[in-house]
Amino acid sequence: WSATARTISCVSLGPLLYCNPCVIQVFHWAQRNAEHIVPLYCFDPGHYLGTANYNLPRTGPFRLRFLLDSIQDLRTSLIQGGSTLVVRRGRPEQVVGDLIKQLGSVSAVAFHEEVAPEDQQVERGVKDICSQMKVKVHTCWGSTLYHRDDLPFNHLSRLPDVYTQFRKAVETQGRVRPVLPTLDQLKPLPPGSGLDEGPIPSPEELEQTDPVRDPRSAFPCSGGETQALARLQHYFWDTDAVSTYKETRNGLIGLDYSTKFSPWLAVGCLSPRYIYQQIKKYESERTANQSTYWVVFELLWRDYFKFIGAKYGDRLFDIKGLQDKSIPWKKDMNLFNAWKEGRTGVPFVDANMRELALTGFMSNRGRQNVASFLTKDLGLDWRMGAEWFHYLLVDHDVSSNYGNWLYSAGIGNDPRENRKFNMIKQGLDYDNNGDYVRHWVPELKGIRGGEVHTPWTLSSASLSHSLVSLNDTYPSPIVMAPEWSRHTNKKPTGAGPSARGKKGPSHTPKQHKDRGIDFYFSKSKNF
């Protein structure tokens, strides 16, 4: 280590930004060990290529817009702290190597460790170039509630393959590290280096179009730490919505039925440890109940999939999954296109898929259902669905997405076999009056009440009165599951002919024991 002119380059190899606990750790470490710091964000062209199996774009328009907003917000924050964010486009190892050559006095490169195999390959490339150029590398672990080194398992190979076992172990034997304070002032960039901060590219420069905001979106928010903290302030302290989270989390319409923290968590603008700190503060100052605990419970699911990704590596993406189970998956592109475009003829599925396509967001309840429909009703390769979500979700997280799809396909961390959702029962349970379906499938708006979930069961006269023509204005189902018939003639309270003409929102969905949190839940055979 040189005694003078020490410069540390703090590199973001992916979209992990300032409020992330690891990034703050890096800055604290750099403040202690350097005279100058170069915060760097690198747009890796690999993030904008096709997915591995079906060549879908890896980064869709909604997530890209959210990321660009987040990077701009980060740059603004760093400027206020006496620094700035250097932005470059190119392979990270090449970008880092070029900056080391340009600066000439870099003593260390620091970055955050990831678990996905492709991310680790990038990290190895950066380490290699630093080794060649005699520059030290400092890495750290972040983005999870529980630090990897604090898990009550001797090694990740001993991580339980069942979530409940993991949760009970960390809750009783683990600890959540305290949040580090954000630094008000940062060491500046090296003077006289001629270092240009670089422009933040536009969506068009990254071969994407800027998405049009749909006014129906349940997530009409922008990226960045500023927006993330405002959202937490609103959900916790301004509205007390967190105190009823467990009762409302299966909602479908609107912003406040759930926390909506996931996009900011995924891109690194919000720390799970900060959320945990705020939960504990809220519980101390206002109330502690099942809802406040359930937010932490969900953060544990997020941790669990991250650590599962670290444990299994490439197997997270293998068609046989974590269980090495051979299933004769179909690869019918006609069925897949109907699913992804929201024209399966099953209104609850179609409404969710259209919401995703038009906004980049879908509720927890919707994700569970459309994943079950693709894998269990259509029998399609689960990777088709996983890669479509990878493309479109504004809150895409590699480990959570692929881990959850494996779970849905029955080849992941689900301790029960043959778990399958009944699309009609789910629709009637969680959208009993059909408001959500009519919200996203306007061609069915003439069908009142819960009957909108099964238009193929209506008489010709009813369909004509509702201005619906099957296979013309709306398709017949592309598949029929026998268990649906148990619910097609049942009318939920407030639905059906007796309710025609009545208006009002769907009821708050009833809760069921152990029904889950980020994606999947336990249930009986008649689900």
Side-chain angles (χ1 to χ4, degrees), residues 5-10 27 30-31 34-39 78-79 81-86 103 185-193 195:
R6 292 185 298 179
T7 299
I8 290 179
S9 179
C10 296
F27 277 118
Q31 288 281 102
E35 295 177 5
H36 306 289
I37 302 173
V38 180
L78 292 176
I79 289 172
S83 182
T84 189
L85 180 66
V86 175
L103 294 169
Q185 285 294 123
L186 291 170
K187 298 286 182 67
L189 270 62
S193 64
L195 192 62

Side-chain angles (χ1 to χ4, degrees), residues 2 84 124 157 164 167 189 238 254 262 267 321 352-354 360 386 405 434 442 448 478 526:
S2 169
T84 189
R124 287 192 294 271
S157 63
T164 301
R167 176 182 60 80
L189 270 62
D238 296 345
S262 58
V267 83
N352 278 287
M353 295 306 298
R354 294 185 192 188
W405 273 94
R448 299 290 183 85
I478 59 175
N526 295 322

Side-chain angles (χ1 to χ4, degrees), residues 140-162:
C140 65
W141 177 269
S143 82
T144 53
L145 180 62
Y146 285 86
H147 193 284
R148 176 183 57 193
D149 296 342
D150 298 337
L151 294 177
F153 315 106
N154 293 334
H155 192 272
L156 279 175
S157 63
R158 297 192 177 184
L159 184 80
D161 285 330
V162 176

Side-chain angles (χ1 to χ4, degrees), residues 225-276:
E225 179 191 21
T226 303
Q227 290 290 324
L229 297 179
R231 172 62 186 168
L232 189 147
Q233 173 70 27
H234 168 84
Y235 195 79
F236 281 25
W237 304 103
D238 296 345
T239 66
D240 288 309
V242 68
S243 67
T244 57
Y245 169 73
K246 194 167 187 286
E247 289 71 45
T248 64
R249 63 193 171 84
N250 281 307
L252 298 167
I253 299 175
L255 181 60
D256 285 346
Y257 66 76
S258 64
T259 68
K260 301 298 193 300
F261 292 156
S262 58
W264 290 292
L265 282 165
V267 83
C269 296
L270 187 62
S271 159
R273 281 159 49 189
Y274 180 74
I275 296 172
Y276 181 84

